[in-house]
Amino acid sequence: MSEATAKQGPDTRARILNAAESLFMTHGFEATSMRMITGQAEVNLAAVNYHFGSKDALIQEVFRRRLTELNRDRLGALEAEEALANGAPLKPSKIVAAFFGVSLKMAADTEHGGATFMRLLGRTYTEPNEFVRQFLAEEYAEVVQRFMSALYRALPDVPREEILWRFHFMMGAMSYAIAGTDALQLFAGDFDDEDPTRLMPRLMSFLLGGLRAPLPEEVIESRAIRRDAA
Amino acid sequence: MSEATAKQGPDTRARILNAAESLFMTHGFEATSMRMITGQAEVNLAAVNYHFGSKDALIQEVFRRRLTELNRDRLGALEAEEALANGAPLKPSKIVAAFFGVSLKMAADTEHGGATFMRLLGRTYTEPNEFVRQFLAEEYAEVVQRFMSALYRALPDVPREEILWRFHFMMGAMSYAIAGTDALQLFAGDFDDEDPTRLMPRLMSFLLGGLRAPLPEEVIESRAIRRDAA
DNA sequence: ATCCTGTTCAAACGTTCGTTTGAATCATAC
DNA sequence: GTATGATTCAAACGAACGTTTGAACAGGAT
Protein backbone atom coordinates (compact mmCIF):
# COMPACT_ATOMS: atom_id res chain seq x y z
CA MET A 1 0.00 0.00 0.00
CA SER A 2 1.33 3.44 -0.87
CA GLU A 3 2.29 5.51 2.14
CA ALA A 4 -0.14 8.29 1.23
CA THR A 5 -3.26 6.24 1.90
CA ALA A 6 -2.62 5.62 5.58
CA LYS A 7 -6.08 6.01 7.10
CA GLN A 8 -5.81 9.73 7.95
CA GLY A 9 -3.15 12.22 8.92
CA PRO A 10 -0.03 11.30 10.92
CA ASP A 11 -0.03 8.56 13.50
CA THR A 12 -2.61 8.52 16.23
CA ARG A 13 -0.20 9.06 19.11
CA ALA A 14 1.03 12.40 17.80
CA ARG A 15 -2.48 13.58 16.97
CA ILE A 16 -3.54 12.88 20.53
CA LEU A 17 -0.50 14.55 22.07
CA ASN A 18 -0.98 17.71 20.02
CA ALA A 19 -4.68 17.95 20.74
CA ALA A 20 -4.12 17.32 24.45
CA GLU A 21 -1.38 19.92 24.64
CA SER A 22 -3.50 22.72 23.24
CA LEU A 23 -6.62 21.72 25.14
CA PHE A 24 -4.73 21.50 28.43
CA MET A 25 -3.45 24.97 27.82
CA THR A 26 -6.88 26.41 27.10
CA HIS A 27 -8.94 24.62 29.72
CA GLY A 28 -6.56 23.05 32.24
CA PHE A 29 -6.10 19.38 33.00
CA GLU A 30 -9.22 18.63 34.95
CA ALA A 31 -11.54 20.54 32.68
CA THR A 32 -10.23 18.79 29.59
CA SER A 33 -12.07 15.52 29.06
CA MET A 34 -10.98 12.49 27.10
CA ARG A 35 -13.86 13.12 24.73
CA MET A 36 -12.65 16.65 24.02
CA ILE A 37 -9.17 15.35 23.27
CA THR A 38 -10.20 12.48 21.04
CA GLY A 39 -12.75 14.71 19.37
CA GLN A 40 -10.20 17.36 18.42
CA ALA A 41 -7.65 14.72 17.44
CA GLU A 42 -10.31 12.97 15.34
CA VAL A 43 -9.53 9.59 16.82
CA ASN A 44 -11.64 7.09 18.68
CA LEU A 45 -12.32 7.65 22.38
CA ALA A 46 -10.55 4.44 23.35
CA ALA A 47 -7.36 5.44 21.55
CA VAL A 48 -5.96 7.38 24.53
CA ASN A 49 -6.21 4.44 26.87
CA TYR A 50 -4.87 2.11 24.21
CA HIS A 51 -1.79 4.19 23.39
CA PHE A 52 -1.03 5.76 26.76
CA GLY A 53 -2.84 3.71 29.36
CA SER A 54 -4.64 6.47 31.22
CA LYS A 55 -5.30 10.18 31.24
CA ASP A 56 -2.57 10.76 33.81
CA ALA A 57 -0.06 8.89 31.69
CA LEU A 58 -1.07 11.04 28.75
CA ILE A 59 -0.44 14.20 30.76
CA GLN A 60 3.03 12.95 31.66
CA GLU A 61 3.82 12.12 28.07
CA VAL A 62 2.70 15.56 26.90
CA PHE A 63 5.30 17.06 29.21
CA ARG A 64 7.99 14.46 28.78
CA ARG A 65 8.30 14.85 25.03
CA ARG A 66 8.84 18.63 25.31
CA LEU A 67 10.73 18.86 28.57
CA THR A 68 13.35 16.37 27.52
CA GLU A 69 14.21 18.56 24.57
CA LEU A 70 13.92 21.82 26.51
CA ASN A 71 16.20 20.77 29.34
CA ARG A 72 18.69 19.21 26.95
CA ASP A 73 18.91 22.55 25.16
CA ARG A 74 19.30 24.41 28.43
CA LEU A 75 22.17 22.19 29.51
CA GLY A 76 23.66 22.52 26.05
CA ALA A 77 23.57 26.30 26.25
CA LEU A 78 25.18 26.24 29.67
CA GLU A 79 27.91 23.87 28.57
CA ALA A 80 28.63 25.99 25.52
CA GLU A 81 29.22 28.98 27.77
CA GLU A 82 31.37 26.95 30.13
CA ALA A 83 33.48 25.73 27.22
CA LEU A 84 34.07 29.33 26.17
CA ALA A 85 35.00 30.34 29.71
CA ASN A 86 37.78 27.78 30.00
CA GLY A 87 37.17 26.94 33.63
CA ALA A 88 36.62 30.50 34.79
CA PRO A 89 33.33 31.27 36.56
CA LEU A 90 30.65 32.43 34.15
CA LYS A 91 29.13 35.86 34.25
CA PRO A 92 25.66 35.68 35.86
CA SER A 93 24.12 37.25 32.78
CA LYS A 94 25.41 34.38 30.66
CA ILE A 95 23.92 31.81 32.98
CA VAL A 96 20.57 33.54 33.10
CA ALA A 97 20.60 33.95 29.34
CA ALA A 98 21.32 30.25 28.87
CA PHE A 99 18.41 29.19 31.02
CA PHE A 100 15.77 31.72 30.12
CA GLY A 101 16.91 32.36 26.58
CA VAL A 102 16.28 28.76 25.65
CA SER A 103 12.87 28.96 27.32
CA LEU A 104 11.91 32.06 25.40
CA LYS A 105 13.20 30.58 22.18
CA MET A 106 10.81 27.69 22.57
CA ALA A 107 8.06 30.10 23.57
CA ALA A 108 8.62 31.94 20.30
CA ASP A 109 8.25 28.81 18.21
CA THR A 110 4.68 28.90 17.02
CA GLU A 111 5.38 26.54 14.13
CA HIS A 112 5.82 23.31 16.06
CA GLY A 113 3.65 24.02 19.07
CA GLY A 114 6.49 25.15 21.30
CA ALA A 115 4.65 28.33 22.16
CA THR A 116 1.57 26.39 23.14
CA PHE A 117 3.62 24.15 25.34
CA MET A 118 5.48 26.93 27.10
CA ARG A 119 2.23 28.62 27.98
CA LEU A 120 0.99 25.32 29.33
CA LEU A 121 4.21 24.86 31.27
CA GLY A 122 3.96 28.32 32.77
CA ARG A 123 0.55 27.47 34.12
CA THR A 124 1.66 24.11 35.36
CA TYR A 125 4.29 25.55 37.69
CA THR A 126 1.41 26.59 39.90
CA GLU A 127 -0.57 23.41 39.36
CA PRO A 128 -1.66 21.83 42.63
CA ASN A 129 -1.98 18.34 41.13
CA GLU A 130 0.47 16.27 43.13
CA PHE A 131 1.67 13.79 40.58
CA VAL A 132 2.23 16.51 37.98
CA ARG A 133 4.42 18.43 40.41
CA GLN A 134 6.43 15.41 41.36
CA PHE A 135 6.99 14.63 37.72
CA LEU A 136 8.10 18.20 37.02
CA ALA A 137 10.57 18.11 39.89
CA GLU A 138 12.12 14.91 38.58
CA GLU A 139 12.43 16.25 35.06
CA TYR A 140 14.10 19.42 36.33
CA ALA A 141 16.35 17.89 38.97
CA GLU A 142 19.53 17.75 36.93
CA VAL A 143 19.15 21.07 35.13
CA VAL A 144 18.35 22.91 38.36
CA GLN A 145 21.36 21.41 40.09
CA ARG A 146 23.68 22.35 37.24
CA PHE A 147 22.49 25.92 36.90
CA MET A 148 22.58 26.45 40.62
CA SER A 149 26.16 25.27 40.81
CA ALA A 150 27.06 27.67 38.03
CA LEU A 151 25.37 30.56 39.83
CA TYR A 152 27.06 29.71 43.11
CA ARG A 153 30.42 29.85 41.36
CA ALA A 154 29.50 33.06 39.58
CA LEU A 155 28.39 34.80 42.75
CA PRO A 156 30.62 33.50 45.52
CA ASP A 157 29.89 36.48 47.76
CA VAL A 158 26.13 36.11 47.68
CA PRO A 159 24.59 33.70 50.17
CA ARG A 160 23.30 30.61 48.39
CA GLU A 161 19.93 31.02 49.98
CA GLU A 162 19.59 34.42 48.35
CA ILE A 163 20.54 33.02 44.96
CA LEU A 164 17.86 30.37 45.34
CA TRP A 165 15.27 33.00 46.14
CA ARG A 166 16.19 35.15 43.19
CA PHE A 167 16.11 32.22 40.83
CA HIS A 168 12.69 31.46 42.23
CA PHE A 169 11.57 35.02 41.53
CA MET A 170 12.99 34.87 38.02
CA MET A 171 11.12 31.66 37.32
CA GLY A 172 7.94 33.36 38.44
CA ALA A 173 8.40 36.42 36.28
CA MET A 174 9.16 34.28 33.25
CA SER A 175 6.31 31.83 33.76
CA TYR A 176 3.82 34.56 34.20
CA ALA A 177 5.12 36.48 31.21
CA ILE A 178 5.05 33.46 28.94
CA ALA A 179 1.77 32.03 30.14
CA GLY A 180 0.61 35.49 29.19
CA THR A 181 -2.80 35.12 30.69
CA ASP A 182 -2.83 38.77 31.71
CA ALA A 183 -5.47 37.99 34.29
CA LEU A 184 -5.60 41.62 35.34
CA GLN A 185 -6.05 42.75 31.75
CA LEU A 186 -3.16 45.14 32.09
CA PHE A 187 -2.83 45.22 28.36
CA ALA A 188 -6.48 45.91 27.76
CA GLY A 189 -6.95 45.13 24.11
CA ASP A 190 -3.79 46.93 23.08
CA PHE A 191 -1.13 44.24 22.81
CA ASP A 192 -3.17 41.10 23.11
CA ASP A 193 -0.80 38.79 21.30
CA GLU A 194 2.52 40.55 20.97
CA ASP A 195 5.35 39.13 18.96
CA PRO A 196 7.02 36.92 21.58
CA THR A 197 10.50 37.70 20.25
CA ARG A 198 10.12 41.24 21.55
CA LEU A 199 9.45 39.81 24.97
CA MET A 200 12.98 38.40 25.23
CA PRO A 201 15.03 41.60 25.67
CA ARG A 202 12.44 43.08 27.99
CA LEU A 203 12.30 40.08 30.26
CA MET A 204 16.07 39.67 30.25
CA SER A 205 16.61 43.26 31.36
CA PHE A 206 14.13 42.81 34.14
CA LEU A 207 15.54 39.50 35.33
CA LEU A 208 19.12 40.71 35.38
CA GLY A 209 18.08 43.89 37.15
CA GLY A 210 16.43 41.78 39.82
CA LEU A 211 19.32 39.37 40.09
CA ARG A 212 21.85 42.17 40.48
CA ALA A 213 19.77 44.23 42.89
CA PRO A 214 21.43 45.08 46.20
CA LEU A 215 20.70 42.53 48.89
CA PRO A 216 17.96 43.50 51.34
CA GLU A 217 19.31 45.35 54.35
CA GLU A 218 18.30 42.57 56.67
CA VAL A 219 20.59 40.14 54.88
CA ILE A 220 23.44 42.61 54.66
CA GLU A 221 23.17 43.33 58.37
CA SER A 222 23.16 39.69 59.36
CA ARG A 223 26.21 39.12 57.17
CA ALA A 224 27.97 42.10 58.66
CA ILE A 225 27.26 40.77 62.11
CA ARG A 226 28.55 37.39 61.13
CA ARG A 227 31.68 38.98 59.73
CA ASP A 228 32.20 41.03 62.87
CA ALA A 229 31.92 37.95 65.01
CA ALA A 230 34.53 36.14 62.96
CA MET B 1 -32.15 29.71 73.36
CA SER B 2 -28.70 30.53 74.70
CA GLU B 3 -26.22 31.51 72.02
CA ALA B 4 -23.83 28.69 72.88
CA THR B 5 -26.17 25.92 71.79
CA ALA B 6 -26.63 27.09 68.20
CA LYS B 7 -26.48 23.81 66.27
CA GLN B 8 -22.69 23.86 65.72
CA GLY B 9 -19.91 26.36 65.07
CA PRO B 10 -20.42 29.74 63.40
CA ASP B 11 -22.91 30.28 60.62
CA THR B 12 -23.01 27.96 57.68
CA ARG B 13 -21.98 30.51 55.05
CA ALA B 14 -18.65 31.25 56.69
CA ARG B 15 -17.93 27.58 57.30
CA ILE B 16 -18.46 26.88 53.61
CA LEU B 17 -16.34 29.82 52.45
CA ASN B 18 -13.44 28.83 54.67
CA ALA B 19 -13.54 25.19 53.66
CA ALA B 20 -13.81 26.09 49.98
CA GLU B 21 -10.92 28.52 50.20
CA SER B 22 -8.50 26.00 51.61
CA LEU B 23 -9.67 23.16 49.39
CA PHE B 24 -9.44 25.32 46.26
CA MET B 25 -5.88 26.14 47.21
CA THR B 26 -4.92 22.52 47.74
CA HIS B 27 -6.71 20.88 44.83
CA GLY B 28 -7.81 23.60 42.42
CA PHE B 29 -11.34 24.56 41.44
CA GLU B 30 -12.27 21.69 39.19
CA ALA B 31 -10.79 19.00 41.38
CA THR B 32 -12.65 20.28 44.44
CA SER B 33 -16.13 18.79 44.59
CA MET B 34 -19.16 20.07 46.43
CA ARG B 35 -19.04 16.96 48.56
CA MET B 36 -15.46 17.68 49.63
CA ILE B 37 -16.43 21.24 50.57
CA THR B 38 -19.56 20.38 52.51
CA GLY B 39 -17.74 17.46 54.11
CA GLN B 40 -14.93 19.61 55.46
CA ALA B 41 -17.34 22.36 56.46
CA GLU B 42 -19.53 19.77 58.20
CA VAL B 43 -22.68 21.05 56.57
CA ASN B 44 -25.26 19.41 54.36
CA LEU B 45 -24.49 18.94 50.69
CA ALA B 46 -27.39 21.14 49.63
CA ALA B 47 -26.19 24.04 51.76
CA VAL B 48 -23.88 25.42 49.07
CA ASN B 49 -26.63 25.71 46.50
CA TYR B 50 -28.99 27.09 49.09
CA HIS B 51 -26.66 29.84 50.31
CA PHE B 52 -24.75 30.67 47.14
CA GLY B 53 -26.79 29.31 44.24
CA SER B 54 -24.09 27.36 42.44
CA LYS B 55 -20.49 26.26 42.63
CA ASP B 56 -19.42 29.08 40.31
CA ALA B 57 -21.16 31.63 42.51
CA LEU B 58 -19.37 30.16 45.51
CA ILE B 59 -16.02 30.58 43.78
CA GLN B 60 -16.82 34.21 43.08
CA GLU B 61 -17.81 34.82 46.66
CA VAL B 62 -14.61 33.23 47.97
CA PHE B 63 -12.65 35.80 45.99
CA ARG B 64 -14.95 38.72 46.47
CA ARG B 65 -14.84 38.70 50.24
CA ARG B 66 -11.03 38.83 50.27
CA LEU B 67 -10.32 40.92 47.18
CA THR B 68 -12.58 43.73 48.25
CA GLU B 69 -10.54 44.13 51.41
CA LEU B 70 -7.20 43.59 49.68
CA ASN B 71 -7.76 46.17 46.98
CA ARG B 72 -9.22 48.65 49.43
CA ASP B 73 -6.01 48.35 51.46
CA ARG B 74 -3.89 48.76 48.36
CA LEU B 75 -5.67 51.93 47.36
CA GLY B 76 -5.44 53.14 50.94
CA ALA B 77 -1.68 52.63 50.99
CA LEU B 78 -1.32 54.47 47.70
CA GLU B 79 -3.45 57.36 48.84
CA ALA B 80 -1.50 57.62 52.06
CA GLU B 81 1.70 58.02 50.07
CA GLU B 82 0.09 60.54 47.77
CA ALA B 83 -1.10 62.57 50.72
CA LEU B 84 2.46 62.69 52.06
CA ALA B 85 3.81 63.73 48.67
CA ASN B 86 1.60 66.79 48.41
CA GLY B 87 0.98 66.54 44.69
CA ALA B 88 4.53 65.66 43.74
CA PRO B 89 5.07 62.44 41.81
CA LEU B 90 5.75 59.48 44.07
CA LYS B 91 8.99 57.59 44.10
CA PRO B 92 8.56 54.29 42.24
CA SER B 93 9.71 52.37 45.28
CA LYS B 94 6.85 53.85 47.29
CA ILE B 95 4.32 52.80 44.69
CA VAL B 96 5.67 49.30 44.44
CA ALA B 97 5.80 49.02 48.21
CA ALA B 98 2.18 50.13 48.46
CA PHE B 99 0.96 47.50 46.05
CA PHE B 100 3.10 44.53 46.91
CA GLY B 101 3.61 45.34 50.55
CA VAL B 102 -0.11 45.06 51.19
CA SER B 103 -0.15 41.78 49.29
CA LEU B 104 2.65 40.35 51.34
CA LYS B 105 1.08 41.58 54.52
CA MET B 106 -2.03 39.56 53.76
CA ALA B 107 0.15 36.65 52.73
CA ALA B 108 1.77 36.74 56.14
CA ASP B 109 -1.54 36.59 57.98
CA THR B 110 -1.92 32.95 58.87
CA GLU B 111 -4.41 33.70 61.63
CA HIS B 112 -7.41 34.65 59.52
CA GLY B 113 -6.72 32.62 56.41
CA GLY B 114 -5.11 35.47 54.51
CA ALA B 115 -2.09 33.33 53.73
CA THR B 116 -4.27 30.58 52.36
CA PHE B 117 -6.12 33.04 50.18
CA MET B 118 -3.01 34.68 48.78
CA ARG B 119 -1.62 31.34 47.75
CA LEU B 120 -4.93 30.59 46.09
CA LEU B 121 -4.88 33.97 44.39
CA GLY B 122 -1.36 33.43 43.12
CA ARG B 123 -2.48 30.26 41.44
CA THR B 124 -5.59 31.82 40.08
CA TYR B 125 -3.69 34.44 38.08
CA THR B 126 -2.79 31.62 35.72
CA GLU B 127 -6.21 29.99 35.85
CA PRO B 128 -7.65 29.34 32.40
CA ASN B 129 -11.26 29.29 33.62
CA GLU B 130 -12.89 32.08 31.70
CA PHE B 131 -15.42 33.40 34.17
CA VAL B 132 -12.84 33.45 36.97
CA ARG B 133 -10.51 35.55 34.88
CA GLN B 134 -13.23 37.97 33.88
CA PHE B 135 -14.21 38.35 37.49
CA LEU B 136 -10.60 38.99 38.52
CA ALA B 137 -10.21 41.65 35.85
CA GLU B 138 -13.31 43.47 37.06
CA GLU B 139 -12.21 43.37 40.67
CA TYR B 140 -8.79 44.74 39.74
CA ALA B 141 -9.85 47.32 37.18
CA GLU B 142 -9.79 50.35 39.45
CA VAL B 143 -6.70 49.47 41.45
CA VAL B 144 -4.71 48.69 38.30
CA GLN B 145 -5.71 51.96 36.71
CA ARG B 146 -4.75 53.97 39.78
CA PHE B 147 -1.37 52.34 40.29
CA MET B 148 -0.55 52.62 36.61
CA SER B 149 -1.32 56.31 36.62
CA ALA B 150 0.95 56.74 39.61
CA LEU B 151 3.77 54.86 37.90
CA TYR B 152 3.34 56.85 34.71
CA ARG B 153 3.73 60.04 36.72
CA ALA B 154 6.67 58.65 38.64
CA LEU B 155 8.53 57.56 35.51
CA PRO B 156 7.67 60.13 32.85
CA ASP B 157 10.70 59.22 30.72
CA VAL B 158 9.95 55.52 30.53
CA PRO B 159 7.57 54.43 27.77
CA ARG B 160 4.23 53.40 29.22
CA GLU B 161 4.40 50.12 27.42
CA GLU B 162 7.62 49.29 29.26
CA ILE B 163 6.07 50.13 32.59
CA LEU B 164 3.18 47.82 31.81
CA TRP B 165 5.57 45.00 31.01
CA ARG B 166 7.56 45.47 34.18
CA PHE B 167 4.48 45.56 36.30
CA HIS B 168 3.47 42.37 34.60
CA PHE B 169 6.83 40.80 35.47
CA MET B 170 6.55 41.98 39.03
CA MET B 171 3.11 40.44 39.38
CA GLY B 172 4.54 37.18 38.14
CA ALA B 173 7.45 37.14 40.53
CA MET B 174 5.18 37.93 43.45
CA SER B 175 2.46 35.42 42.56
CA TYR B 176 4.95 32.67 42.13
CA ALA B 177 6.76 33.53 45.32
CA ILE B 178 3.59 33.63 47.36
CA ALA B 179 1.91 30.64 45.80
CA GLY B 180 5.14 29.05 46.85
CA THR B 181 4.50 25.80 45.09
CA ASP B 182 8.19 25.44 44.35
CA ALA B 183 7.35 23.08 41.52
CA LEU B 184 11.02 22.62 40.74
CA GLN B 185 11.81 21.81 44.35
CA LEU B 186 14.51 24.42 44.40
CA PHE B 187 14.34 24.48 48.14
CA ALA B 188 14.56 20.73 48.49
CA GLY B 189 13.49 20.12 52.04
CA ASP B 190 15.52 22.98 53.43
CA PHE B 191 13.11 25.89 53.70
CA ASP B 192 9.80 24.22 53.05
CA ASP B 193 7.63 26.74 54.84
CA GLU B 194 9.69 29.78 55.56
CA ASP B 195 8.45 32.60 57.67
CA PRO B 196 6.62 34.70 55.06
CA THR B 197 7.68 37.96 56.70
CA ARG B 198 11.25 37.27 55.65
CA LEU B 199 10.04 37.01 52.08
CA MET B 200 9.06 40.67 51.99
CA PRO B 201 12.48 42.40 51.93
CA ARG B 202 13.85 39.82 49.53
CA LEU B 203 11.03 40.17 47.07
CA MET B 204 11.03 43.94 47.33
CA SER B 205 14.74 44.17 46.52
CA PHE B 206 14.25 41.94 43.53
CA LEU B 207 11.21 43.78 42.24
CA LEU B 208 12.80 47.20 42.54
CA GLY B 209 15.97 45.93 40.91
CA GLY B 210 13.93 44.73 37.98
CA LEU B 211 11.85 47.87 37.77
CA ARG B 212 14.93 50.10 37.77
CA ALA B 213 16.94 47.96 35.36
CA PRO B 214 18.21 49.76 32.24
CA LEU B 215 15.80 49.51 29.34
CA PRO B 216 16.67 46.86 26.76
CA GLU B 217 18.86 48.23 23.96
CA GLU B 218 16.15 47.68 21.42
CA VAL B 219 13.85 50.10 23.19
CA ILE B 220 16.58 52.65 23.77
CA GLU B 221 17.51 52.54 20.10
CA SER B 222 13.97 52.98 18.89
CA ARG B 223 13.56 55.93 21.24
CA ALA B 224 16.81 57.47 20.03
CA ILE B 225 15.62 57.12 16.47
CA ARG B 226 12.33 58.69 17.30
CA ARG B 227 14.12 61.55 18.99
CA ASP B 228 16.38 62.02 16.00
CA ALA B 229 13.42 62.18 13.67
CA ALA B 230 11.77 64.86 15.76
C1' DA C 1 -51.82 26.59 69.19
C1' DT C 2 -51.02 28.47 64.49
C1' DC C 3 -48.78 30.37 60.93
C1' DC C 4 -44.69 32.06 58.64
C1' DT C 5 -39.94 32.38 57.20
C1' DG C 6 -35.45 30.70 57.03
C1' DT C 7 -32.63 26.74 57.23
C1' DT C 8 -31.22 21.84 57.28
C1' DC C 9 -31.63 17.25 55.74
C1' DA C 10 -31.67 12.60 53.10
C1' DA C 11 -32.53 11.16 48.77
C1' DA C 12 -32.73 11.31 44.16
C1' DC C 13 -32.11 13.59 39.49
C1' DG C 14 -29.81 13.56 34.92
C1' DT C 15 -25.23 14.23 33.05
C1' DT C 16 -20.53 13.51 32.33
C1' DC C 17 -16.45 11.47 33.66
C1' DG C 18 -12.32 7.89 32.80
C1' DT C 19 -12.06 3.34 31.63
C1' DT C 20 -13.12 -1.35 29.74
C1' DT C 21 -14.88 -4.63 26.52
C1' DG C 22 -15.23 -7.52 22.45
C1' DA C 23 -15.93 -7.43 17.87
C1' DA C 24 -14.32 -5.33 13.41
C1' DT C 25 -10.58 -3.82 10.59
C1' DC C 26 -6.02 -3.25 9.03
C1' DA C 27 -1.11 -4.52 7.65
C1' DT C 28 2.03 -7.98 7.15
C1' DA C 29 4.14 -12.72 6.86
C1' DC C 30 3.57 -17.19 5.62
C1' DG D 1 -5.74 -17.57 0.83
C1' DT D 2 -5.01 -17.77 5.89
C1' DA D 3 -3.08 -16.84 10.19
C1' DT D 4 -1.14 -13.20 13.28
C1' DG D 5 -0.51 -9.15 15.82
C1' DA D 6 -1.59 -4.28 16.10
C1' DT D 7 -5.00 -0.88 15.89
C1' DT D 8 -9.68 1.12 15.58
C1' DC D 9 -14.40 1.17 16.63
C1' DA D 10 -19.23 1.48 18.87
C1' DA D 11 -21.09 0.53 23.02
C1' DA D 12 -21.33 0.01 27.59
C1' DC D 13 -19.52 0.18 32.57
C1' DG D 14 -19.67 2.02 37.38
C1' DA D 15 -18.46 6.10 39.75
C1' DA D 16 -18.60 10.84 40.66
C1' DC D 17 -20.21 15.18 39.42
C1' DG D 18 -23.46 19.66 40.29
C1' DT D 19 -28.01 20.37 41.18
C1' DT D 20 -32.96 19.82 42.64
C1' DT D 21 -36.64 18.22 45.44
C1' DG D 22 -39.88 17.93 49.22
C1' DA D 23 -40.20 16.87 53.72
C1' DA D 24 -38.46 17.97 58.46
C1' DC D 25 -37.14 21.29 61.78
C1' DA D 26 -36.18 25.74 63.95
C1' DG D 27 -37.48 30.26 66.24
C1' DG D 28 -40.50 34.28 66.60
C1' DA D 29 -44.75 36.85 65.95
C1' DT D 30 -49.71 36.81 66.00
Side-chain angles (χ1 to χ4, degrees):
Chain A
M1 171 178 284
S2 77
E3 58 186 5
T5 351
K7 201 55 193 299
Q8 57 172 349
D11 68 324
T12 306
R13 275 183 63 95
R15 298 173 65 87
I16 292 174
L17 286 172
N18 291 334
E21 189 171 86
S22 84
L23 285 168
F24 287 157
M25 186 198 79
T26 313
H27 304 100
F29 298 121
E30 307 270 358
T32 300
S33 70
M34 302 287 246
R35 286 161 180 83
M36 291 165 68
I37 296 169
T38 55
Q40 174 153 344
E42 298 183 79
V43 300
N44 185 271
L45 169 60
V48 172
N49 288 282
Y50 176 77
H51 285 282
F52 299 95
S54 68
K55 184 182 180 181
D56 280 3
L58 169 64
I59 295 176
Q60 283 198 225
E61 186 58 24
V62 165
F63 281 94
R64 204 198 51 74
R65 106 178 139 147
R66 300 274 189 190
L67 278 183
T68 300
E69 178 196 353
L70 180 65
N71 280 334
R72 183 171 20 82
D73 289 354
R74 289 206 255 234
L75 284 180
L78 181 64
E79 282 161 8
E81 290 294 343
E82 283 171 341
L84 284 177
N86 252 71
L90 296 178
K91 289 178 60 177
S93 64
K94 298 289 185 187
I95 301 171
V96 170
F99 189 94
F100 295 99
V102 169
S103 313
L104 289 171
K105 199 171 135 215
M106 181 175 262
D109 162 39
T110 54
E111 294 289 316
H112 310 86
T116 302
F117 174 72
M118 287 305 292
R119 297 184 59 187
L120 171 61
L121 182 60
R123 289 178 173 172
T124 307
Y125 288 133
T126 60
E127 169 75 30
N129 187 315
E130 189 50 45
F131 98 92
V132 172
R133 301 190 47 207
Q134 178 145 0
F135 175 73
L136 265 190
E138 287 170 15
E139 282 285 321
Y140 267 96
E142 184 188 355
V143 82
V144 162
Q145 191 250 316
R146 292 280 298 276
F147 274 84
M148 280 305 144
S149 297
L151 281 173
Y152 293 159
R153 279 196 70 205
L155 301 164
D157 291 334
V158 181
R160 296 192 168 192
E161 193 180 339
E162 297 301 317
I163 297 177
L164 276 177
W165 277 107
R166 299 212 163 169
F167 193 80
H168 201 224
F169 297 150
M170 289 192 283
M171 282 292 303
M174 180 197 68
S175 305
Y176 198 80
I178 288 180
T181 60
D182 190 19
L184 271 44
Q185 289 184 212
L186 285 174
F187 304 95
D190 298 346
F191 316 90
D192 257 333
D193 28 24
E194 276 253 324
D195 176 10
T197 56
R198 272 193 285 178
L199 170 63
M200 170 73 168
R202 288 188 169 117
L203 180 58
M204 210 57 80
S205 298
F206 181 86
L207 295 182
L208 288 173
L211 180 62
R212 291 196 273 237
L215 293 180
E217 289 177 21
E218 175 189 285
V219 173
I220 292 173
E221 280 166 23
S222 73
R223 279 173 70 76
I225 291 168
R226 237 178 281 140
R227 201 177 305 121
D228 290 349
Chain B
M1 170 179 286
S2 78
E3 57 184 5
T5 352
K7 201 53 194 299
Q8 58 174 349
D11 68 324
T12 307
R13 274 184 64 96
R15 300 174 63 86
I16 292 174
L17 286 172
N18 291 333
E21 189 172 85
S22 83
L23 285 168
F24 287 158
M25 186 199 79
T26 312
H27 304 99
F29 299 122
E30 307 269 359
T32 300
S33 71
M34 302 286 249
R35 286 162 180 84
M36 289 164 68
I37 296 169
T38 54
Q40 179 158 133
E42 297 184 80
V43 301
N44 187 270
L45 170 60
V48 172
N49 288 282
Y50 175 77
H51 284 282
F52 299 94
S54 69
K55 184 182 179 179
D56 280 3
L58 169 63
I59 295 175
Q60 281 196 227
E61 186 58 23
V62 165
F63 281 92
R64 205 199 50 75
R65 110 179 135 146
R66 300 275 189 190
L67 278 183
T68 300
E69 179 195 353
L70 180 64
N71 281 333
R72 181 170 21 81
D73 290 354
R74 290 206 255 234
L75 284 179
L78 180 64
E79 282 162 7
E81 291 293 343
E82 283 171 341
L84 284 176
N86 253 71
L90 295 178
K91 288 178 60 176
S93 63
K94 296 290 184 188
I95 302 170
V96 171
F99 189 93
F100 294 99
V102 169
S103 313
L104 290 171
K105 199 171 135 215
M106 181 174 264
D109 162 40
T110 53
E111 293 289 316
H112 311 86
T116 301
F117 174 72
M118 287 304 291
R119 297 185 59 186
L120 171 60
L121 182 60
R123 289 178 174 171
T124 307
Y125 287 134
T126 61
E127 169 75 28
N129 188 315
E130 189 51 45
F131 99 92
V132 172
R133 301 190 48 207
Q134 178 145 359
F135 174 73
L136 265 191
E138 288 170 13
E139 282 285 323
Y140 267 96
E142 184 188 356
V143 81
V144 162
Q145 190 250 315
R146 293 280 298 275
F147 273 85
M148 281 304 144
S149 298
L151 281 173
Y152 293 159
R153 282 195 69 205
L155 301 164
D157 290 335
V158 181
R160 296 191 166 191
E161 193 179 338
E162 298 300 317
I163 297 177
L164 276 176
W165 277 108
R166 299 210 164 171
F167 194 80
H168 201 224
F169 298 150
M170 289 192 283
M171 282 292 302
M174 179 198 68
S175 306
Y176 197 81
I178 288 180
T181 60
D182 190 19
L184 271 44
Q185 289 183 214
L186 285 174
F187 305 95
D190 299 347
F191 318 88
D192 258 332
D193 28 23
E194 276 254 325
D195 176 8
T197 55
R198 272 193 285 177
L199 171 63
M200 169 74 167
R202 288 187 170 118
L203 180 58
M204 209 57 80
S205 298
F206 180 85
L207 295 182
L208 287 173
L211 179 63
R212 291 197 273 238
L215 292 179
E217 290 178 19
E218 176 190 285
V219 174
I220 292 173
E221 281 166 21
S222 74
R223 280 172 69 76
I225 291 167
R226 234 177 285 140
R227 202 176 305 121
D228 290 349

